[in-house]
Amino acid sequence: MSDWPEGRPGDNGGRYGRGSASAQPESARVMRQVRRGQSPPGPGQAAPPYGGVPQQPTYVDGGGGPGGYDSGYNTGQVYGTPGGHGPAGPGGPGRPAPDWRRRIKWTAITVATVLVVTSVGTYFWADSKLNRDVDLSKVIDRPDAGEGTNYLIVGSDSREGMSDEEKKELHTGSAEGKRTDSMMILHTGDNGSTLVSLPRDSDVEIPTFKGSESGKTYQGTGRHVKLNAAYAEDGPELLVRTVEHNTGLRIDHYVEIGFGGFANIVDAVGGVTIDIPQDIKDTKSGADLKKGEQTLNGEEALAFVRTRYALAGSDLDRTKNQQKFLSALANQVATPSTVLNPFKLYPTMGAGLDSLVVDKDMGLFDLAGMFWAMKGVSGGDGTSMNMPIAGNASNGNLQWDTAKVKTLVDELKNDEKVTVSAD
């Protein structure tokens, strides 16, 4: 007796799981196979060979058999490679060449973006460091503006921010307040730059002026003093007023630097090379320098520009040394080794900008223009001179040569080549 249940009539054993006249394994059952592109056999057609199972296509070398079916398997195909042949072997195609144009383009864009961001950031950082403490709008009765730009550059003996040790090292003393040791007018225009020193002992008249702090108007009385007394009496605004009144030349911008800031800038650029005209030994300034070319650090540079008692011409010779050194300093700051080296540029800018006092309308571009103009003076494209002196006034102060000063001022106002000399 069979353990298999009898199938229903008409099943002919063709239904798996419902019983069969003959127990037949699943693997032997006939499943209809249809080739791609080929219809199943119709009535009267011969059954496929091989026991009812159609011949399967061969997959050797990726062949698709008679039906043309190509599954793509077993051919070594790797998706995503050129031609579907995978990584190149000997004699096969390699990886696509890099698109250098595209790489160069994006590299250039990246570098340009970094430079722009850095430049903008540096500008705002530097601009925020400027001490715009001088208000030239408080200056009254000003001369008409001329051609070109006029800077009044002042070196003060301010010891603000200096420690006792620094004051001792730089031989500055500990006097309270601040006075001016040097004053220069720098004119820039189309005919080169002109740097004119105003000796501190110059005899000038204090005109009517408005107090920088009180706002009160002080009437002029014809009082004559040394030029540096105007600065000591009411600061930068009165100094500008006095210079304009006694010269007739309008001052466009004011720049001041103290002892400590000057020394720090020199040290930040790694020292300044200059040709010392003579041996200098001055106990008051601390100068002990030998004649000839040498590189001065901040302490030595400050002593050099402050020395007057060891020089035959006293203040007049000192102003010449100050002009010479400031031009050399500007030339040093404007060199590629400083401008293109962030490890020198940022300390130099930080040291300089922290210690500069400028007028409220002074911008970084104005400051840069001033330095480039001073560099031009040292490069021989400009003129440096003292204010022409005629001799001593009755009070012992230095008397300007009135005729020469008038010619000089007219040439500067009209931005003409300077023909006047101090000799």
Side-chain angles (χ1 to χ4, degrees), residues 107-326:
T107 299
I109 292 175
T110 301
V111 170
T113 301
V114 170
L115 288 176
V116 169
V117 171
T118 302
S119 299
V120 172
T122 299
Y123 176 87
F124 284 105
W125 167 78
D127 188 72
S128 67
K129 283 184 166 292
L130 281 178
N131 300 307
R132 297 183 174 92
D133 296 336
V134 179
D135 189 357
L136 296 184
S137 68
K138 296 179 180 179
V139 180
I140 62 174
D141 299 335
R142 309 194 67 186
D144 294 334
E147 301 293 328
T149 303
N150 298 311
Y151 299 84
L152 181 60
I153 303 172
V154 174
S156 78
D157 65 358
S158 171
R159 297 151 176 88
E160 185 176 353
M162 296 175 63
S163 65
D164 291 339
E165 182 179 348
E166 289 173 327
K167 293 176 185 177
K168 182 178 180 181
E169 180 182 347
L170 297 177
H171 303 273
T172 65
S174 299
E176 295 297 327
K178 60 180 182 178
R179 288 148 294 278
T180 176
D181 268 0
S182 61
M183 292 156 284
M184 304 178 189
I185 294 175
L186 174 66
H187 172 83
T188 65
D190 295 334
N191 284 292
S193 302
T194 302
L195 187 61
V196 183
S197 285
L198 309 175
R200 58 176 282 177
D201 294 339
S202 297
D203 187 69
V204 294
E205 178 186 352
I206 297 293
T208 299
F209 69 95
K210 181 182 290 187
S212 58
E213 296 294 334
S214 66
K216 180 181 177 181
T217 298
Y218 297 87
Q219 293 295 328
T221 62
R223 177 168 53 104
H224 278 245
V225 298
K226 293 180 179 180
L227 180 58
N228 66 337
Y231 180 93
E233 187 171 328
D234 198 48
E237 287 86 357
L238 179 55
L239 179 61
V240 171
R241 169 76 175 119
T242 303
V243 169
E244 290 186 341
H245 174 77
N246 285 269
T247 63
L249 187 68
R250 186 184 181 97
I251 300 300
D252 299 297
H253 291 295
Y254 178 92
V255 180
E256 177 187 324
I257 186 169
F259 281 163
F262 179 83
N264 288 339
I265 292 176
V266 174
D267 285 335
V269 297
V272 175
T273 301
I274 190 172
D275 189 10
I276 307 294
Q278 65 180 74
D279 290 347
I280 299 176
K281 190 172 182 63
D282 185 359
T283 55
K284 290 186 177 294
S285 69
D288 187 4
L289 306 170
K290 298 298 181 182
K291 179 181 179 180
E293 186 177 283
Q294 54 193 289
T295 300
L296 305 183
N297 61 25
E299 177 186 349
E300 295 166 335
L302 183 59
F304 175 68
V305 299
R306 292 183 61 215
T307 295
R308 63 183 300 200
Y309 296 104
L311 305 176
S314 187
D315 197 41
L316 294 178
D317 282 349
R318 177 171 70 168
T319 56
K320 294 177 182 178
N321 286 343
Q322 290 171 346
Q323 289 179 347
K324 186 175 184 178
F325 187 86
L326 288 179

Side-chain angles (χ1 to χ4, degrees), residues 353-407:
L353 297 174
D354 277 341
S355 56
L356 287 179
V357 176
V358 300
D359 65 89
K360 293 186 180 298
D361 295 327
M362 186 86 163
L364 286 177
F365 290 109
D366 299 310
L367 192 61
M370 185 193 78
F371 271 97
W372 279 105
M374 292 185 67
K375 180 182 178 181
V377 171
S378 66
D381 297 330
T383 302
S384 60
M385 58 183 292
N386 278 324
M387 186 66 84
I389 302 295
N392 290 331
S394 58
N395 57 8
N397 300 337
L398 293 176
Q399 181 70 52
W400 292 351
D401 187 320
T402 306
K404 285 188 175 182
V405 169
K406 183 179 185 308
T407 301

Side-chain angles (χ1 to χ4, degrees), residues 24-96:
Q24 189 176 15
E26 170 90 6
S27 61
R29 295 184 180 276
V30 177
M31 303 295 292
R32 291 191 174 184
Q33 302 292 329
V34 181
R35 295 182 185 175
R36 286 183 179 271
Q38 186 174 6
S39 302
Q45 290 181 333
Y50 306 104
V53 180
Q55 183 177 3
Q56 299 301 304
T58 176
Y59 294 98
V60 179
D61 294 331
Y69 176 73
D70 185 355
S71 68
Y73 294 110
N74 299 324
T75 63
Q77 176 177 348
V78 178
Y79 291 100
T81 58
H85 293 291
R95 293 182 179 179

